[in-house]
Amino acid sequence: MEKTLFEKIADHEIPADIVYEDEQCVAFRDISPVAPQHVLLVPRKALSSIAAASQEDASLLAHLMLKVGEIARMLGIEEEGFRTVLNTGARAGQTVPHLHIHILGGRDLQWPPG
Ligand code: AMP
Protein backbone atom coordinates (compact mmCIF):
# COMPACT_ATOMS: atom_id res chain seq x y z
CA MET A 1 0.00 0.00 0.00
CA GLU A 2 1.18 3.54 -0.80
CA LYS A 3 2.79 5.22 2.20
CA THR A 4 1.09 8.27 3.62
CA LEU A 5 2.89 11.62 3.60
CA PHE A 6 3.54 11.30 7.31
CA GLU A 7 4.91 7.76 6.98
CA LYS A 8 7.34 9.12 4.38
CA ILE A 9 8.37 11.88 6.81
CA ALA A 10 8.75 9.34 9.62
CA ASP A 11 10.94 7.21 7.32
CA HIS A 12 13.04 10.28 6.38
CA GLU A 13 12.01 9.95 2.74
CA ILE A 14 10.55 13.49 2.75
CA PRO A 15 12.36 16.24 4.65
CA ALA A 16 10.79 17.77 7.73
CA ASP A 17 11.95 19.75 10.74
CA ILE A 18 11.92 16.85 13.19
CA VAL A 19 11.95 17.87 16.86
CA TYR A 20 11.61 14.42 18.42
CA GLU A 21 11.57 10.79 17.33
CA ASP A 22 11.71 7.35 18.84
CA GLU A 23 10.84 3.82 17.80
CA GLN A 24 7.08 4.49 17.94
CA CYS A 25 6.55 8.09 16.92
CA VAL A 26 7.92 11.19 15.24
CA ALA A 27 7.24 14.89 15.93
CA PHE A 28 7.99 17.58 13.37
CA ARG A 29 7.12 21.23 12.75
CA ASP A 30 3.96 21.86 10.72
CA ILE A 31 4.81 23.20 7.27
CA SER A 32 2.05 25.87 7.58
CA PRO A 33 2.12 26.82 11.26
CA VAL A 34 -0.97 28.48 12.71
CA ALA A 35 0.76 29.37 15.98
CA PRO A 36 4.33 30.35 16.93
CA GLN A 37 4.82 26.75 18.04
CA HIS A 38 3.02 24.17 15.87
CA VAL A 39 4.26 20.60 15.92
CA LEU A 40 2.64 17.41 14.62
CA LEU A 41 3.14 14.21 16.59
CA VAL A 42 2.50 11.07 14.55
CA PRO A 43 2.81 7.35 15.21
CA ARG A 44 5.09 5.41 12.87
CA LYS A 45 2.22 2.93 12.54
CA ALA A 46 -0.12 3.82 9.67
CA LEU A 47 -3.38 4.52 11.50
CA SER A 48 -5.66 6.67 9.34
CA SER A 49 -7.14 8.54 12.32
CA ILE A 50 -7.82 8.25 16.04
CA ALA A 51 -11.13 6.60 15.09
CA ALA A 52 -9.21 3.81 13.35
CA ALA A 53 -7.32 2.86 16.53
CA SER A 54 -8.26 -0.33 18.34
CA GLN A 55 -7.50 -2.02 21.63
CA GLU A 56 -4.22 -3.32 20.23
CA ASP A 57 -3.08 0.32 19.89
CA ALA A 58 -3.66 1.13 23.57
CA SER A 59 -0.01 1.27 24.56
CA LEU A 60 0.89 3.25 21.42
CA LEU A 61 -1.81 5.83 22.21
CA ALA A 62 -0.61 6.08 25.81
CA HIS A 63 2.92 6.59 24.53
CA LEU A 64 1.76 9.44 22.26
CA MET A 65 -0.17 11.11 25.09
CA LEU A 66 2.86 10.97 27.35
CA LYS A 67 5.05 12.45 24.61
CA VAL A 68 2.71 15.47 24.23
CA GLY A 69 3.78 16.92 27.58
CA GLU A 70 7.42 16.08 26.98
CA ILE A 71 7.40 17.81 23.59
CA ALA A 72 5.52 20.82 24.98
CA ARG A 73 8.23 21.13 27.65
CA MET A 74 10.89 20.86 24.96
CA LEU A 75 9.16 23.65 22.99
CA GLY A 76 8.96 25.85 26.11
CA ILE A 77 5.15 26.09 26.10
CA GLU A 78 4.20 23.67 28.85
CA GLU A 79 3.98 26.19 31.70
CA GLU A 80 2.08 28.92 29.84
CA GLY A 81 -0.31 26.44 28.26
CA PHE A 82 -0.85 24.90 24.88
CA ARG A 83 -3.48 23.00 22.90
CA THR A 84 -3.59 19.52 21.40
CA VAL A 85 -5.91 18.86 18.45
CA LEU A 86 -6.84 15.69 16.62
CA ASN A 87 -8.84 16.46 13.48
CA THR A 88 -10.83 13.41 12.40
CA GLY A 89 -12.58 13.16 9.06
CA ALA A 90 -13.94 15.61 6.54
CA ARG A 91 -16.08 17.80 8.79
CA ALA A 92 -13.16 18.40 11.13
CA GLY A 93 -10.90 19.28 8.21
CA GLN A 94 -8.55 16.30 8.41
CA THR A 95 -6.36 16.58 5.31
CA VAL A 96 -3.75 13.86 5.89
CA PRO A 97 -5.13 10.33 6.47
CA HIS A 98 -2.51 9.43 9.08
CA LEU A 99 -3.23 9.99 12.77
CA HIS A 100 -1.54 13.21 13.90
CA ILE A 101 -1.74 15.26 17.06
CA HIS A 102 -1.34 18.99 16.59
CA ILE A 103 0.57 20.63 19.46
CA LEU A 104 -0.09 24.37 19.34
CA GLY A 105 1.25 27.13 21.53
CA GLY A 106 3.08 30.40 21.85
CA ARG A 107 -0.03 32.58 21.65
CA ASP A 108 -3.50 32.87 23.20
CA LEU A 109 -5.81 30.26 21.68
CA GLN A 110 -9.53 30.96 21.41
CA TRP A 111 -12.35 28.66 22.47
CA PRO A 112 -14.53 27.36 20.92
CA PRO A 113 -12.36 26.61 17.88
CA GLY A 114 -13.72 27.45 14.44
P1 AMP B 1 -5.05 18.18 9.41
O1 AMP B 1 -5.71 19.32 8.71
O2 AMP B 1 -5.45 18.02 10.84
O3 AMP B 1 -5.14 16.89 8.62
O4 AMP B 1 -3.51 18.58 9.49
C1 AMP B 1 -2.58 18.28 8.54
C2 AMP B 1 -1.42 19.21 8.78
O5 AMP B 1 -0.30 18.73 8.05
C3 AMP B 1 -1.67 20.65 8.30
O6 AMP B 1 -1.56 21.53 9.41
C4 AMP B 1 -0.56 20.87 7.28
O7 AMP B 1 -0.04 22.18 7.30
C5 AMP B 1 0.47 19.83 7.69
N1 AMP B 1 1.37 19.39 6.63
C6 AMP B 1 1.03 19.02 5.37
N2 AMP B 1 2.13 18.65 4.69
C7 AMP B 1 3.18 18.77 5.54
C8 AMP B 1 4.58 18.55 5.43
N3 AMP B 1 5.13 18.10 4.29
N4 AMP B 1 5.36 18.78 6.51
C9 AMP B 1 4.82 19.25 7.66
N5 AMP B 1 3.50 19.48 7.83
C10 AMP B 1 2.69 19.25 6.79
Side-chain angles (χ1 to χ4, degrees):
M1 209 159 71
E2 171 78 9
K3 284 187 183 180
T4 66
L5 171 63
F6 291 166
E7 274 182 281
K8 289 179 184 169
I9 288 176
D11 290 344
H12 298 245
E13 291 169 10
I14 288 180
D17 186 355
I18 292 175
V19 298
Y20 175 82
E21 64 183 315
D22 63 27
E23 69 289 345
Q24 294 188 79
C25 64
V26 181
F28 51 92
R29 293 194 181 276
D30 196 292
I31 204 165
S32 302
V34 297
Q37 297 289 349
H38 187 174
V39 162
L40 301 174
L41 172 61
V42 312
R44 291 189 185 278
K45 180 175 177 179
L47 283 169
S48 60
S49 75
I50 191 68
S54 63
Q55 190 58 41
E56 72 176 31
D57 301 310
S59 71
L60 171 60
L61 297 182
H63 183 77
L64 292 171
M65 286 298 112
L66 291 169
K67 289 300 159 188
V68 166
E70 202 175 293
I71 291 165
R73 266 190 294 287
M74 190 191 300
L75 297 174
I77 56 174
E78 188 222 3
E79 282 201 17
E80 65 188 28
F82 62 94
R83 181 169 295 162
T84 50
V85 173
L86 283 130
N87 291 321
T88 304
R91 289 198 89 175
Q94 183 180 0
T95 57
V96 180
H98 185 120
L99 194 163
H100 50 284
I101 303 172
H102 294 259
I103 301 171
L104 298 153
R107 67 168 171 82
D108 291 338
L109 297 161
Q110 306 308 310
W111 192 263

PDB file of all heavy atoms in Angstrom, residues 5-6 9 14-17 28-34 38 40 85-88 92-98 100 102, ligand 1:
ATOM      1  N   LEU A   5       1.895  10.539   3.493  1.00  0.00           N
ATOM      2  CA  LEU A   5       2.887  11.621   3.596  1.00  0.00           C
ATOM      3  C   LEU A   5       3.630  11.539   4.931  1.00  0.00           C
ATOM      4  O   LEU A   5       4.864  11.669   4.980  1.00  0.00           O
ATOM      5  CB  LEU A   5       2.156  12.968   3.476  1.00  0.00           C
ATOM      6  CG  LEU A   5       2.961  14.227   3.764  1.00  0.00           C
ATOM      7  CD1 LEU A   5       4.097  14.382   2.765  1.00  0.00           C
ATOM      8  CD2 LEU A   5       2.047  15.449   3.745  1.00  0.00           C
ATOM      9  N   PHE A   6       2.894  11.288   6.006  1.00  0.00           N
ATOM     10  CA  PHE A   6       3.538  11.298   7.315  1.00  0.00           C
ATOM     11  C   PHE A   6       4.379  10.039   7.551  1.00  0.00           C
ATOM     12  O   PHE A   6       5.360  10.080   8.291  1.00  0.00           O
ATOM     13  CB  PHE A   6       2.496  11.508   8.422  1.00  0.00           C
ATOM     14  CG  PHE A   6       1.895  12.899   8.404  1.00  0.00           C
ATOM     15  CD1 PHE A   6       0.746  13.187   9.137  1.00  0.00           C
ATOM     16  CD2 PHE A   6       2.478  13.927   7.681  1.00  0.00           C
ATOM     17  CE1 PHE A   6       0.196  14.468   9.131  1.00  0.00           C
ATOM     18  CE2 PHE A   6       1.936  15.214   7.659  1.00  0.00           C
ATOM     19  CZ  PHE A   6       0.785  15.480   8.387  1.00  0.00           C
ATOM     20  N   ILE A   9       7.591  10.993   5.928  1.00  0.00           N
ATOM     21  CA  ILE A   9       8.372  11.882   6.808  1.00  0.00           C
ATOM     22  C   ILE A   9       9.009  11.064   7.926  1.00  0.00           C
ATOM     23  O   ILE A   9      10.201  11.202   8.218  1.00  0.00           O
ATOM     24  CB  ILE A   9       7.479  13.021   7.360  1.00  0.00           C
ATOM     25  CG1 ILE A   9       7.164  14.016   6.236  1.00  0.00           C
ATOM     26  CG2 ILE A   9       8.148  13.709   8.551  1.00  0.00           C
ATOM     27  CD1 ILE A   9       6.220  15.143   6.629  1.00  0.00           C
ATOM     28  N   ILE A  14      10.922  12.104   3.066  1.00  0.00           N
ATOM     29  CA  ILE A  14      10.550  13.487   2.752  1.00  0.00           C
ATOM     30  C   ILE A  14      11.097  14.332   3.892  1.00  0.00           C
ATOM     31  O   ILE A  14      10.938  13.967   5.062  1.00  0.00           O
ATOM     32  CB  ILE A  14       9.005  13.626   2.650  1.00  0.00           C
ATOM     33  CG1 ILE A  14       8.519  12.944   1.373  1.00  0.00           C
ATOM     34  CG2 ILE A  14       8.579  15.085   2.681  1.00  0.00           C
ATOM     35  CD1 ILE A  14       7.012  13.029   1.183  1.00  0.00           C
ATOM     36  N   PRO A  15      11.778  15.441   3.576  1.00  0.00           N
ATOM     37  CA  PRO A  15      12.364  16.236   4.649  1.00  0.00           C
ATOM     38  C   PRO A  15      11.319  16.928   5.525  1.00  0.00           C
ATOM     39  O   PRO A  15      10.238  17.293   5.049  1.00  0.00           O
ATOM     40  CB  PRO A  15      13.212  17.280   3.900  1.00  0.00           C
ATOM     41  CG  PRO A  15      12.694  17.298   2.508  1.00  0.00           C
ATOM     42  CD  PRO A  15      12.047  15.979   2.231  1.00  0.00           C
ATOM     43  N   ALA A  16      11.650  17.050   6.782  1.00  0.00           N
ATOM     44  CA  ALA A  16      10.795  17.771   7.728  1.00  0.00           C
ATOM     45  C   ALA A  16      11.691  18.236   8.869  1.00  0.00           C
ATOM     46  O   ALA A  16      12.788  17.702   9.065  1.00  0.00           O
ATOM     47  CB  ALA A  16       9.683  16.859   8.254  1.00  0.00           C
ATOM     48  N   ASP A  17      11.197  19.222   9.590  1.00  0.00           N
ATOM     49  CA  ASP A  17      11.950  19.749  10.737  1.00  0.00           C
ATOM     50  C   ASP A  17      11.556  18.909  11.958  1.00  0.00           C
ATOM     51  O   ASP A  17      10.618  19.243  12.687  1.00  0.00           O
ATOM     52  CB  ASP A  17      11.606  21.231  10.916  1.00  0.00           C
ATOM     53  CG  ASP A  17      12.459  21.891  12.001  1.00  0.00           C
ATOM     54  OD1 ASP A  17      13.248  21.180  12.676  1.00  0.00           O
ATOM     55  OD2 ASP A  17      12.326  23.119  12.171  1.00  0.00           O
ATOM     56  N   PHE A  28       7.312  16.654  14.281  1.00  0.00           N
ATOM     57  CA  PHE A  28       7.988  17.585  13.368  1.00  0.00           C
ATOM     58  C   PHE A  28       7.158  18.858  13.255  1.00  0.00           C
ATOM     59  O   PHE A  28       5.944  18.855  13.519  1.00  0.00           O
ATOM     60  CB  PHE A  28       8.197  16.939  11.985  1.00  0.00           C
ATOM     61  CG  PHE A  28       6.957  16.326  11.389  1.00  0.00           C
ATOM     62  CD1 PHE A  28       6.126  17.046  10.562  1.00  0.00           C
ATOM     63  CD2 PHE A  28       6.603  15.005  11.698  1.00  0.00           C
ATOM     64  CE1 PHE A  28       4.974  16.482  10.038  1.00  0.00           C
ATOM     65  CE2 PHE A  28       5.445  14.425  11.180  1.00  0.00           C
ATOM     66  CZ  PHE A  28       4.622  15.177  10.341  1.00  0.00           C
ATOM     67  N   ARG A  29       7.809  19.937  12.853  1.00  0.00           N
ATOM     68  CA  ARG A  29       7.121  21.229  12.748  1.00  0.00           C
ATOM     69  C   ARG A  29       6.173  21.229  11.558  1.00  0.00           C
ATOM     70  O   ARG A  29       6.521  20.747  10.472  1.00  0.00           O
ATOM     71  CB  ARG A  29       8.136  22.376  12.640  1.00  0.00           C
ATOM     72  CG  ARG A  29       8.933  22.535  13.914  1.00  0.00           C
ATOM     73  CD  ARG A  29       9.698  23.841  13.976  1.00  0.00           C
ATOM     74  NE  ARG A  29      10.446  23.893  15.226  1.00  0.00           N
ATOM     75  CZ  ARG A  29       9.939  24.292  16.394  1.00  0.00           C
ATOM     76  NH1 ARG A  29       8.690  24.695  16.459  1.00  0.00           N
ATOM     77  NH2 ARG A  29      10.694  24.288  17.488  1.00  0.00           N
ATOM     78  N   ASP A  30       4.952  21.762  11.799  1.00  0.00           N
ATOM     79  CA  ASP A  30       3.964  21.862  10.723  1.00  0.00           C
ATOM     80  C   ASP A  30       4.502  22.800   9.642  1.00  0.00           C
ATOM     81  O   ASP A  30       5.070  23.845   9.939  1.00  0.00           O
ATOM     82  CB  ASP A  30       2.636  22.386  11.287  1.00  0.00           C
ATOM     83  CG  ASP A  30       1.481  22.159  10.331  1.00  0.00           C
ATOM     84  OD1 ASP A  30       1.456  22.798   9.246  1.00  0.00           O
ATOM     85  OD2 ASP A  30       0.605  21.337  10.646  1.00  0.00           O
ATOM     86  N   ILE A  31       4.282  22.416   8.391  1.00  0.00           N
ATOM     87  CA  ILE A  31       4.810  23.202   7.267  1.00  0.00           C
ATOM     88  C   ILE A  31       4.066  24.536   7.124  1.00  0.00           C
ATOM     89  O   ILE A  31       4.622  25.489   6.556  1.00  0.00           O
ATOM     90  CB  ILE A  31       4.734  22.365   5.964  1.00  0.00           C
ATOM     91  CG1 ILE A  31       5.747  22.833   4.950  1.00  0.00           C
ATOM     92  CG2 ILE A  31       3.329  22.332   5.385  1.00  0.00           C
ATOM     93  CD1 ILE A  31       5.985  21.854   3.817  1.00  0.00           C
ATOM     94  N   SER A  32       2.836  24.619   7.614  1.00  0.00           N
ATOM     95  CA  SER A  32       2.052  25.867   7.581  1.00  0.00           C
ATOM     96  C   SER A  32       1.575  26.182   8.993  1.00  0.00           C
ATOM     97  O   SER A  32       0.392  26.009   9.318  1.00  0.00           O
ATOM     98  CB  SER A  32       0.830  25.730   6.673  1.00  0.00           C
ATOM     99  OG  SER A  32       1.220  25.391   5.375  1.00  0.00           O
ATOM    100  N   PRO A  33       2.481  26.642   9.844  1.00  0.00           N
ATOM    101  CA  PRO A  33       2.121  26.822  11.260  1.00  0.00           C
ATOM    102  C   PRO A  33       1.018  27.849  11.458  1.00  0.00           C
ATOM    103  O   PRO A  33       0.997  28.875  10.785  1.00  0.00           O
ATOM    104  CB  PRO A  33       3.440  27.271  11.900  1.00  0.00           C
ATOM    105  CG  PRO A  33       4.274  27.791  10.786  1.00  0.00           C
ATOM    106  CD  PRO A  33       3.862  27.044   9.559  1.00  0.00           C
ATOM    107  N   VAL A  34       0.110  27.537  12.374  1.00  0.00           N
ATOM    108  CA  VAL A  34      -0.970  28.481  12.711  1.00  0.00           C
ATOM    109  C   VAL A  34      -0.761  29.079  14.105  1.00  0.00           C
ATOM    110  O   VAL A  34      -1.636  29.752  14.636  1.00  0.00           O
ATOM    111  CB  VAL A  34      -2.368  27.816  12.587  1.00  0.00           C
ATOM    112  CG1 VAL A  34      -2.628  27.387  11.151  1.00  0.00           C
ATOM    113  CG2 VAL A  34      -2.514  26.643  13.542  1.00  0.00           C
ATOM    114  N   HIS A  38       4.019  25.060  16.484  1.00  0.00           N
ATOM    115  CA  HIS A  38       3.024  24.170  15.871  1.00  0.00           C
ATOM    116  C   HIS A  38       3.753  22.912  15.399  1.00  0.00           C
ATOM    117  O   HIS A  38       4.453  22.918  14.379  1.00  0.00           O
ATOM    118  CB  HIS A  38       2.322  24.851  14.696  1.00  0.00           C
ATOM    119  CG  HIS A  38       1.183  24.066  14.137  1.00  0.00           C
ATOM    120  ND1 HIS A  38       0.348  24.551  13.153  1.00  0.00           N
ATOM    121  CD2 HIS A  38       0.728  22.808  14.416  1.00  0.00           C
ATOM    122  CE1 HIS A  38      -0.572  23.636  12.838  1.00  0.00           C
ATOM    123  NE2 HIS A  38      -0.345  22.564  13.594  1.00  0.00           N
ATOM    124  N   LEU A  40       3.500  18.582  14.829  1.00  0.00           N
ATOM    125  CA  LEU A  40       2.639  17.410  14.617  1.00  0.00           C
ATOM    126  C   LEU A  40       3.338  16.193  15.184  1.00  0.00           C
ATOM    127  O   LEU A  40       4.515  15.951  14.886  1.00  0.00           O
ATOM    128  CB  LEU A  40       2.396  17.199  13.114  1.00  0.00           C
ATOM    129  CG  LEU A  40       1.738  18.351  12.365  1.00  0.00           C
ATOM    130  CD1 LEU A  40       1.705  18.063  10.865  1.00  0.00           C
ATOM    131  CD2 LEU A  40       0.332  18.618  12.885  1.00  0.00           C
ATOM    132  N   VAL A  85      -4.744  19.025  19.334  1.00  0.00           N
ATOM    133  CA  VAL A  85      -5.908  18.863  18.453  1.00  0.00           C
ATOM    134  C   VAL A  85      -5.726  17.612  17.617  1.00  0.00           C
ATOM    135  O   VAL A  85      -4.645  17.373  17.069  1.00  0.00           O
ATOM    136  CB  VAL A  85      -6.056  20.088  17.519  1.00  0.00           C
ATOM    137  CG1 VAL A  85      -7.156  19.854  16.483  1.00  0.00           C
ATOM    138  CG2 VAL A  85      -6.323  21.363  18.304  1.00  0.00           C
ATOM    139  N   LEU A  86      -6.809  16.829  17.543  1.00  0.00           N
ATOM    140  CA  LEU A  86      -6.845  15.687  16.617  1.00  0.00           C
ATOM    141  C   LEU A  86      -8.021  15.920  15.673  1.00  0.00           C
ATOM    142  O   LEU A  86      -9.173  15.768  16.086  1.00  0.00           O
ATOM    143  CB  LEU A  86      -7.076  14.380  17.388  1.00  0.00           C
ATOM    144  CG  LEU A  86      -5.889  13.796  18.130  1.00  0.00           C
ATOM    145  CD1 LEU A  86      -6.274  13.475  19.545  1.00  0.00           C
ATOM    146  CD2 LEU A  86      -5.407  12.562  17.427  1.00  0.00           C
ATOM    147  N   ASN A  87      -7.765  16.319  14.459  1.00  0.00           N
ATOM    148  CA  ASN A  87      -8.838  16.458  13.482  1.00  0.00           C
ATOM    149  C   ASN A  87      -9.145  15.079  12.915  1.00  0.00           C
ATOM    150  O   ASN A  87      -8.235  14.344  12.524  1.00  0.00           O
ATOM    151  CB  ASN A  87      -8.422  17.410  12.360  1.00  0.00           C
ATOM    152  CG  ASN A  87      -8.303  18.844  12.835  1.00  0.00           C
ATOM    153  OD1 ASN A  87      -9.113  19.294  13.638  1.00  0.00           O
ATOM    154  ND2 ASN A  87      -7.301  19.552  12.363  1.00  0.00           N
ATOM    155  N   THR A  88     -10.427  14.737  12.875  1.00  0.00           N
ATOM    156  CA  THR A  88     -10.826  13.413  12.401  1.00  0.00           C
ATOM    157  C   THR A  88     -11.923  13.548  11.356  1.00  0.00           C
ATOM    158  O   THR A  88     -13.026  14.007  11.662  1.00  0.00           O
ATOM    159  CB  THR A  88     -11.325  12.548  13.576  1.00  0.00           C
ATOM    160  OG1 THR A  88     -10.299  12.500  14.573  1.00  0.00           O
ATOM    161  CG2 THR A  88     -11.634  11.125  13.114  1.00  0.00           C
ATOM    162  N   ALA A  92     -14.140  17.777  10.233  1.00  0.00           N
ATOM    163  CA  ALA A  92     -13.158  18.397  11.133  1.00  0.00           C
ATOM    164  C   ALA A  92     -11.961  18.941  10.358  1.00  0.00           C
ATOM    165  O   ALA A  92     -11.040  19.507  10.950  1.00  0.00           O
ATOM    166  CB  ALA A  92     -12.706  17.388  12.174  1.00  0.00           C
ATOM    167  N   GLY A  93     -11.982  18.729   9.032  1.00  0.00           N
ATOM    168  CA  GLY A  93     -10.903  19.278   8.210  1.00  0.00           C
ATOM    169  C   GLY A  93      -9.639  18.441   8.194  1.00  0.00           C
ATOM    170  O   GLY A  93      -8.557  18.968   7.900  1.00  0.00           O
ATOM    171  N   GLN A  94      -9.750  17.144   8.473  1.00  0.00           N
ATOM    172  CA  GLN A  94      -8.547  16.296   8.406  1.00  0.00           C
ATOM    173  C   GLN A  94      -8.100  16.194   6.952  1.00  0.00           C
ATOM    174  O   GLN A  94      -8.883  15.796   6.080  1.00  0.00           O
ATOM    175  CB  GLN A  94      -8.821  14.890   8.965  1.00  0.00           C
ATOM    176  CG  GLN A  94      -7.561  14.020   8.967  1.00  0.00           C
ATOM    177  CD  GLN A  94      -7.802  12.611   9.521  1.00  0.00           C
ATOM    178  OE1 GLN A  94      -8.912  12.255   9.911  1.00  0.00           O
ATOM    179  NE2 GLN A  94      -6.744  11.812   9.527  1.00  0.00           N
ATOM    180  N   THR A  95      -6.857  16.577   6.686  1.00  0.00           N
ATOM    181  CA  THR A  95      -6.360  16.577   5.306  1.00  0.00           C
ATOM    182  C   THR A  95      -5.352  15.468   5.032  1.00  0.00           C
ATOM    183  O   THR A  95      -5.112  15.138   3.882  1.00  0.00           O
ATOM    184  CB  THR A  95      -5.705  17.934   4.960  1.00  0.00           C
ATOM    185  OG1 THR A  95      -4.650  18.181   5.898  1.00  0.00           O
ATOM    186  CG2 THR A  95      -6.729  19.062   4.994  1.00  0.00           C
ATOM    187  N   VAL A  96      -4.731  14.939   6.075  1.00  0.00           N
ATOM    188  CA  VAL A  96      -3.753  13.856   5.886  1.00  0.00           C
ATOM    189  C   VAL A  96      -4.280  12.615   6.610  1.00  0.00           C
ATOM    190  O   VAL A  96      -4.489  12.644   7.829  1.00  0.00           O
ATOM    191  CB  VAL A  96      -2.362  14.250   6.441  1.00  0.00           C
ATOM    192  CG1 VAL A  96      -1.366  13.112   6.239  1.00  0.00           C
ATOM    193  CG2 VAL A  96      -1.855  15.525   5.760  1.00  0.00           C
ATOM    194  N   PRO A  97      -4.516  11.520   5.867  1.00  0.00           N
ATOM    195  CA  PRO A  97      -5.130  10.328   6.468  1.00  0.00           C
ATOM    196  C   PRO A  97      -4.135   9.472   7.254  1.00  0.00           C
ATOM    197  O   PRO A  97      -3.953   8.279   6.976  1.00  0.00           O
ATOM    198  CB  PRO A  97      -5.700   9.587   5.254  1.00  0.00           C
ATOM    199  CG  PRO A  97      -4.752   9.932   4.149  1.00  0.00           C
ATOM    200  CD  PRO A  97      -4.296  11.348   4.413  1.00  0.00           C
ATOM    201  N   HIS A  98      -3.460  10.110   8.183  1.00  0.00           N
ATOM    202  CA  HIS A  98      -2.513   9.425   9.076  1.00  0.00           C
ATOM    203  C   HIS A  98      -2.643  10.137  10.419  1.00  0.00           C
ATOM    204  O   HIS A  98      -2.448  11.363  10.476  1.00  0.00           O
ATOM    205  CB  HIS A  98      -1.089   9.544   8.517  1.00  0.00           C
ATOM    206  CG  HIS A  98      -0.065   8.779   9.309  1.00  0.00           C
ATOM    207  ND1 HIS A  98       0.704   7.767   8.761  1.00  0.00           N
ATOM    208  CD2 HIS A  98       0.323   8.885  10.605  1.00  0.00           C
ATOM    209  CE1 HIS A  98       1.521   7.290   9.686  1.00  0.00           C
ATOM    210  NE2 HIS A  98       1.315   7.956  10.818  1.00  0.00           N
ATOM    211  N   HIS A 100      -2.525  12.199  13.495  1.00  0.00           N
ATOM    212  CA  HIS A 100      -1.542  13.213  13.903  1.00  0.00           C
ATOM    213  C   HIS A 100      -2.151  14.094  14.981  1.00  0.00           C
ATOM    214  O   HIS A 100      -3.312  14.471  14.916  1.00  0.00           O
ATOM    215  CB  HIS A 100      -1.052  14.054  12.719  1.00  0.00           C
ATOM    216  CG  HIS A 100      -2.131  14.620  11.857  1.00  0.00           C
ATOM    217  ND1 HIS A 100      -2.838  13.862  10.947  1.00  0.00           N
ATOM    218  CD2 HIS A 100      -2.635  15.870  11.760  1.00  0.00           C
ATOM    219  CE1 HIS A 100      -3.724  14.621  10.326  1.00  0.00           C
ATOM    220  NE2 HIS A 100      -3.620  15.844  10.803  1.00  0.00           N
ATOM    221  N   HIS A 102      -1.899  17.638  16.672  1.00  0.00           N
ATOM    222  CA  HIS A 102      -1.342  18.991  16.592  1.00  0.00           C
ATOM    223  C   HIS A 102      -0.994  19.429  18.018  1.00  0.00           C
ATOM    224  O   HIS A 102      -1.815  19.293  18.941  1.00  0.00           O
ATOM    225  CB  HIS A 102      -2.366  19.978  16.039  1.00  0.00           C
ATOM    226  CG  HIS A 102      -2.772  19.750  14.617  1.00  0.00           C
ATOM    227  ND1 HIS A 102      -2.274  20.486  13.566  1.00  0.00           N
ATOM    228  CD2 HIS A 102      -3.649  18.877  14.062  1.00  0.00           C
ATOM    229  CE1 HIS A 102      -2.828  20.090  12.436  1.00  0.00           C
ATOM    230  NE2 HIS A 102      -3.678  19.112  12.706  1.00  0.00           N
TER     231      HIS A 102
HETATM  232  P1  AMP B   1      -5.047  18.178   9.410  1.00  0.00           P
HETATM  233  O1  AMP B   1      -5.706  19.321   8.707  1.00  0.00           O
HETATM  234  O2  AMP B   1      -5.447  18.022  10.838  1.00  0.00           O
HETATM  235  O3  AMP B   1      -5.135  16.893   8.618  1.00  0.00           O
HETATM  236  O4  AMP B   1      -3.512  18.583   9.487  1.00  0.00           O
HETATM  237  C1  AMP B   1      -2.575  18.277   8.535  1.00  0.00           C
HETATM  238  C2  AMP B   1      -1.415  19.209   8.780  1.00  0.00           C
HETATM  239  O5  AMP B   1      -0.299  18.728   8.053  1.00  0.00           O
HETATM  240  C3  AMP B   1      -1.668  20.654   8.297  1.00  0.00           C
HETATM  241  O6  AMP B   1      -1.556  21.530   9.409  1.00  0.00           O
HETATM  242  C4  AMP B   1      -0.557  20.871   7.277  1.00  0.00           C
HETATM  243  O7  AMP B   1      -0.035  22.183   7.303  1.00  0.00           O
HETATM  244  C5  AMP B   1       0.475  19.829   7.689  1.00  0.00           C
HETATM  245  N1  AMP B   1       1.370  19.393   6.632  1.00  0.00           N
HETATM  246  C6  AMP B   1       1.028  19.021   5.369  1.00  0.00           C
HETATM  247  N2  AMP B   1       2.128  18.651   4.688  1.00  0.00           N
HETATM  248  C7  AMP B   1       3.176  18.775   5.542  1.00  0.00           C
HETATM  249  C8  AMP B   1       4.583  18.547   5.428  1.00  0.00           C
HETATM  250  N3  AMP B   1       5.135  18.099   4.291  1.00  0.00           N
HETATM  251  N4  AMP B   1       5.358  18.782   6.509  1.00  0.00           N
HETATM  252  C9  AMP B   1       4.819  19.247   7.664  1.00  0.00           C
HETATM  253  N5  AMP B   1       3.505  19.478   7.831  1.00  0.00           N
HETATM  254  C10 AMP B   1       2.687  19.247   6.789  1.00  0.00           C
END
